[in-house]
């Protein structure tokens, strides 16, 4: 059975969905794949989203197996008890995330296959499903490239198309730069076309029924697509190969907000919400142990994050963390410079804060954030800052922070758990006092402030994005305890490829094995 995991891009797990008239009744769209008799573009579109849910909504294995022992530590997202080889990415963490991406890719290839084999009239009628699918697929692809570098892509997931011919379905690797180029080229075409797309009344209703991200709103997908372009272009803006293109296209997006609208407020966020707790629905009921397994030694707050927030009276602090049981109401983060013995003693005595259980681990309505207004506005703040427009940079920076506060208030408000009482909502005066303490205008390194806010905002909900931006901007700065016996003595700049690739996709893996390590920077990581 191991062979089925040799490369998830070969798979096409036919998760097919029936139509429904209400977004929240997702379970009504699902039927046992063995009983499905009809595959349609619209059902396969929802099937792809459902498959990628594992990388979008907080999910046990992604949190516990992949993120908690790796990226959470690399970024001090959480505190942890220092141990040997604590920076070494484990095979299970790597394999798990890789498999989840390629499960979704296989679903996307099936969608392509169904769409491409439709008659021309149906293709034209249903192209909105392909546009939306590509936007989500490119979002997930960028994250996977940013985690691994070169990956199998353009020829991946072809097993079904190749009529189960395994021999001719092992995919070659695409260069990360080529994947970025292909995504940018296609997203530009999509954003130009989607603005004027015309849909029949029946397709409008079908799209509403099957689109569990944006509820069938073409305008919302347009904003998501342009925001994604802005993210991708900013990520590569310092790369010599892409700098000119990035500058031109970012300017084009920002200069033409009517033609290229982006996400500006939380109401426009691209996210996967939880609507019910039915087992057949997308839900986050299983994440409690991902945070809390290990008792007070898990779920610990990091000193770096707590101190950064506390120093400026950040209103999000109490939404993020709750005091330890022995901390007399004080929110204190774990200091990673301490010895294991001291850390363990502090944790045992309940002196270290943990992530707020009612906001996160026990909140069964915790959403999956794809793209938020805070991220978009921080990207704009960076754009204006680098062009010498400090006034506009400050405006976008402060808008971003305010939207972040509102978002986490909203997340807590939707929680069905009250283990920790909801914090009192911050007043306008308190928020303004917080922004005054940050002091964007009076700070010399404004880019560091922007990077810090990205790190705080992405947090445990978009940790891969946080890792990419920390690598790109080199802020915040972190320190680690390294032992002489540690195999990995520096923070990884990416994940190696999963072991299954060298075993089962050997010939293609040999072409990229020189970069198959945790210390080879991606093309955009040039600092």
């Amino acid at each position: 059975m191991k062979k089925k995991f040799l490369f998830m891009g070969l798979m096409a797990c036919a998760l097919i969905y029936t139509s429904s008239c209400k977004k929240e009744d997702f379970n009504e769209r699902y039927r046992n794949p063995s009983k499905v008799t009809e595959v349609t573009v619209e059902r396969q579109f929802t099937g792809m989203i459902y498959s990628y849910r594992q990388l979008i909504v907080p999910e046990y294995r992604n949190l516990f197996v992949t993120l908690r022992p790796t990226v959470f530590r690399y970024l001090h997202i959480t505190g942890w008890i220092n141990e040997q080889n604590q920076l070494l990415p484990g095979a299970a963490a790597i394999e798990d995330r890789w498999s989840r991406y390629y499960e979704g890719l296989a679903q996307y290839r099936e969608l392509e296959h169904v769409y491409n084999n439709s008659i021309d009239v149906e293709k034209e009628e249903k192209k909105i499903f392909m546009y939306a699918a590509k936007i989500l697929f490119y979002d997930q692809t960028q994250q996977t490239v940013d985690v691994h570098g070169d990956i199998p892509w353009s020829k991946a997931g072809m097993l079904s198309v190749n009529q189960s011919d395994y021999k001719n379905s092992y995919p070659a690797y695409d260069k990360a730069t080529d994947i970025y180029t292909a995504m940018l080229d296609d997203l530009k075409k999509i954003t130009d076309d989607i603005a004027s797309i015309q849909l029949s009344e029946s397709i409008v209703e079908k799209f509403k029924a099957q689109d569990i991200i944006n509820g069938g709103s073409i305008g919302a997908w347009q904003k998501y697509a342009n925001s994604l372009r802005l993210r991708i272009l900013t990520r590569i803006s310092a790369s010599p190969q892409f700098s000119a293109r990035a500058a031109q296209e970012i300017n084009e997006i920002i200069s033409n907000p009517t033609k290229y609208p982006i996400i500006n407020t939380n109401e426009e966020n691209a996210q996967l919400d939880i609507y019910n707790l039915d087992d057949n629905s997308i839900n986050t009921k299983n994440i409690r142990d991902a945070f809390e397994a290990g008792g007070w030694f898990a779920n610990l707050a990091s000193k770096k994050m707590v101190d950064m927030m506390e120093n400026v009276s950040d209103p999000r602090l109490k939404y993020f963390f709750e005091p330890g049981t022995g901390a007399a109401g004080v929110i204190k983060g774990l200091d990673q410079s301490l010895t294991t013995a001291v850390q363990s003693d502090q944790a045992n005595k309940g002196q270290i804060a943990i992530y707020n259980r009612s906001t996160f681990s026990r909140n069964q309505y915790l959403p999956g954030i794809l793209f938020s207004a805070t991220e978009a506005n921080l990207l704009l703040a960076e754009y204006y800052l680098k062009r010498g427009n400090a006034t506009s940079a400050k405006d976008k920076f402060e808008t971003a922070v305010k939207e972040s506060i509102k978002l986490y208030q909203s997340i807590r408000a939707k929680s069905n758990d009250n283990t920790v009482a909801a914090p009192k909502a911050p007043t306008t005066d308190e928020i303004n006092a917080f922004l005054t303490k940050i002091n964007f205008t009076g700070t010399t390194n404004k880019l560091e402030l922007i990077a810090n806010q990205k790190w705080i905002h992405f947090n445990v909900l978009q940790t891969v994005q946080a890792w990419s931006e920390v690598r790109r901007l080199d802020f915040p700065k972190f320190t680690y305890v390294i032992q002489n016996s540690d195999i990995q003595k520096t923070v990884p700049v990416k994940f190696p490829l999963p072991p299954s690739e060298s075993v089962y996709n050997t010939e293609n893996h040999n072409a990229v094995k020189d970069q198959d390590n945790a210390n080879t920077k991606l093309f955009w990581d040039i600092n």
Side-chain angles (χ1 to χ4, degrees):
M1 294 301 290
K2 173 71 174 176
K3 191 170 183 178
K4 74 175 181 178
F5 294 106
L6 61 100
F7 182 63
M8 295 305 296
L10 297 179
M11 296 182 66
C13 316
L15 299 175
I16 313 300
Y17 299 83
T18 57
S19 62
S20 171
C21 62
K22 292 191 291 183
K23 177 180 177 182
E24 57 267 34
D25 290 336
F26 180 81
N27 56 310
E28 295 181 10
R29 304 176 206 194
Y30 177 78
R31 283 196 293 165
N32 188 317
S34 66
K35 299 179 181 179
V36 170
T37 58
E38 181 186 11
V39 180
T40 64
V41 168
E42 54 268 35
R43 294 171 186 173
Q44 191 60 32
F45 166 69
T46 310
M48 187 200 78
I49 299 175
Y50 184 78
S51 187
Y52 271 137
R53 80 196 185 282
Q54 302 168 98
L55 296 177
I56 299 173
V57 299
E59 193 264 345
Y60 174 81
R61 286 194 66 85
N62 190 38
L63 286 167
F64 187 79
V65 176
T66 299
L67 297 175
R68 184 167 144 177
T70 60
V71 185
F72 280 8
R73 294 182 177 185
Y74 305 160
L75 302 183
H76 288 225
I77 294 293
T78 56
W80 72 97
I81 306 300
N82 287 319
E83 60 184 0
Q84 189 176 10
N85 286 319
Q86 59 187 2
L87 298 181
L88 185 67
I94 297 167
E95 197 82 55
D96 255 44
R97 195 186 193 287
W98 182 269
S99 296
R100 299 247 176 318
Y101 170 70
Y102 283 103
E103 287 170 13
L105 181 145
Q107 290 294 315
Y108 174 75
R109 294 293 182 225
E110 283 298 293
L111 173 59
E112 277 188 323
H113 182 63
V114 174
Y115 180 79
N116 290 336
N117 283 279
S118 302
I119 61 175
D120 289 344
V121 172
E122 186 177 8
K123 283 183 184 178
E124 180 63 25
E125 189 179 40
K126 295 183 177 180
K127 64 182 179 181
I128 185 60
F129 290 97
M130 282 305 304
Y131 285 165
K134 284 183 175 184
I135 294 164
L136 178 63
F137 176 54
Y138 292 156
D139 186 344
Q140 297 304 315
T141 295
Q142 185 198 17
Q143 293 182 53
T144 301
V145 169
D146 290 352
V147 166
H148 292 283
D150 297 351
I151 61 170
W153 191 63
S154 60
K155 301 299 182 183
M158 298 296 187
L159 184 60
S160 177
V161 176
N162 294 340
Q163 299 181 331
S164 299
D165 182 354
Y166 277 89
K167 184 177 180 180
N168 292 312
S169 296
Y170 289 94
Y173 281 71
D174 294 77
K175 291 186 178 298
T177 51
D178 292 343
I179 296 172
Y180 261 78
T181 298
M183 292 192 299
L184 284 172
D185 289 348
D186 204 22
L187 281 170
K188 178 66 164 61
K189 293 176 184 176
I190 290 171
T191 54
D192 284 338
D193 193 29
I194 203 171
S196 58
I197 197 169
Q198 298 292 318
L199 303 180
S200 67
E201 187 174 326
S202 65
I203 292 298
V204 168
E205 291 306 310
K206 287 180 180 179
F207 192 46
K208 285 181 180 178
Q210 301 300 139
D211 175 14
I212 56 176
I213 291 177
N214 286 317
S217 169
I218 296 174
W221 281 102
Q222 185 183 15
K223 290 175 182 178
Y224 180 15
N226 285 310
S227 299
L228 180 59
R229 288 179 64 206
L230 182 61
R231 175 199 286 164
I232 294 174
L233 290 163
T234 303
R235 187 73 46 80
I236 61 177
S237 59
S239 169
Q241 180 177 345
F242 290 100
S243 58
R245 175 176 185 170
Q248 177 185 342
E249 292 193 22
I250 291 174
N251 183 66
E252 182 180 44
I253 293 169
I254 293 174
S255 300
N256 297 275
T258 302
K259 184 176 181 181
Y260 300 117
I262 64 173
I263 294 168
N264 282 303
T265 66
N266 285 325
E267 290 71 28
E268 300 169 335
N269 287 354
Q271 62 187 60
L272 195 49
D273 288 315
I274 309 301
Y275 284 92
N276 65 62
L277 303 180
D278 188 283
D279 287 339
N280 284 332
S281 299
I282 294 175
N283 63 69
T284 55
K285 292 192 296 184
N286 69 347
I287 66 170
R288 178 168 171 170
D289 282 348
F291 282 95
E292 298 183 30
W296 217 267
F297 281 79
N299 200 23
L300 297 171
S302 80
K303 176 177 171 58
K304 182 76 173 183
M305 186 169 288
V306 168
D307 288 356
M308 188 179 292
M309 299 178 77
E310 197 166 45
N311 289 341
V312 290
S313 303
D314 193 321
R316 292 166 294 186
L317 183 66
K318 292 184 179 180
Y319 289 93
F320 282 12
F321 305 112
E322 59 177 282
T325 54
V330 176
I331 295 177
K332 176 184 176 181
L334 186 67
D335 188 343
Q336 294 307 141
S337 69
L338 299 176
T339 65
T340 298
V342 173
Q343 289 180 317
S344 298
D345 182 63
Q346 290 182 351
N348 273 323
K349 292 177 178 177
Q351 295 173 354
I352 305 300
I354 62 173
Y355 266 87
N356 188 306
R357 289 169 289 178
S358 294
T359 303
F360 297 103
S361 62
R362 301 184 186 184
N363 181 356
Q364 296 182 326
Y365 291 91
L366 195 61
I369 307 296
L370 288 161
F371 212 109
S372 69
T374 294
E375 180 181 0
N377 279 286
L378 288 173
L379 289 171
L380 294 176
E382 180 179 341
Y383 169 83
Y384 287 118
L385 177 65
K386 290 181 175 178
R387 280 149 187 79
N389 188 340
T391 300
S392 293
K394 178 186 178 183
D395 176 66
K396 296 302 180 183
F397 175 84
E398 294 188 348
T399 297
V401 175
K402 289 176 182 178
E403 289 298 305
S404 182
I405 295 169
K406 292 177 185 176
L407 178 62
Y408 281 101
Q409 282 184 266
S410 172
I411 288 172
R412 175 59 185 88
K414 291 177 181 177
S415 177
N416 60 339
D417 180 84
N418 203 39
T419 302
V420 183
K424 183 180 178 181
T427 65
T428 300
D429 287 343
E430 287 171 336
I431 294 173
N432 289 336
F434 158 56
L435 293 172
T436 298
K437 286 186 177 181
I438 291 179
N439 192 15
F440 187 87
T441 300
T443 300
T444 301
N445 195 339
K446 295 176 174 58
L447 186 60
E448 182 177 3
L449 289 184
I450 293 171
N452 289 347
Q453 287 303 314
K454 285 185 180 181
W455 173 67
I456 291 172
H457 175 75
F458 286 142
N459 210 286
V460 297
L461 297 183
Q462 289 181 277
T463 311
V464 171
Q465 291 300 339
W467 191 25
S468 294
E469 289 298 82
V470 168
R471 284 177 286 164
R472 180 176 72 90
L473 297 172
D474 282 338
F475 293 112
K477 302 288 187 182
F478 308 107
T479 57
Y480 310 86
V481 173
I482 306 298
Q483 300 182 26
N484 291 334
S485 59
D486 284 354
I487 297 172
Q488 182 70 34
K489 291 182 167 52
T490 58
V491 178
V493 292
K494 67 178 182 65
F495 278 177
L497 296 164
S500 59
E501 281 295 287
S502 62
V503 175
Y504 297 109
N505 196 17
T506 309
E507 183 177 348
N508 292 308
H509 177 265
N510 284 340
V512 298
K513 65 181 180 181
D514 288 346
Q515 63 96 32
D516 186 9
N517 58 74
N519 304 308
T520 299
K521 288 186 174 184
L522 273 80
F523 71 94
W524 48 256
D525 187 4
I526 63 174
N527 292 326

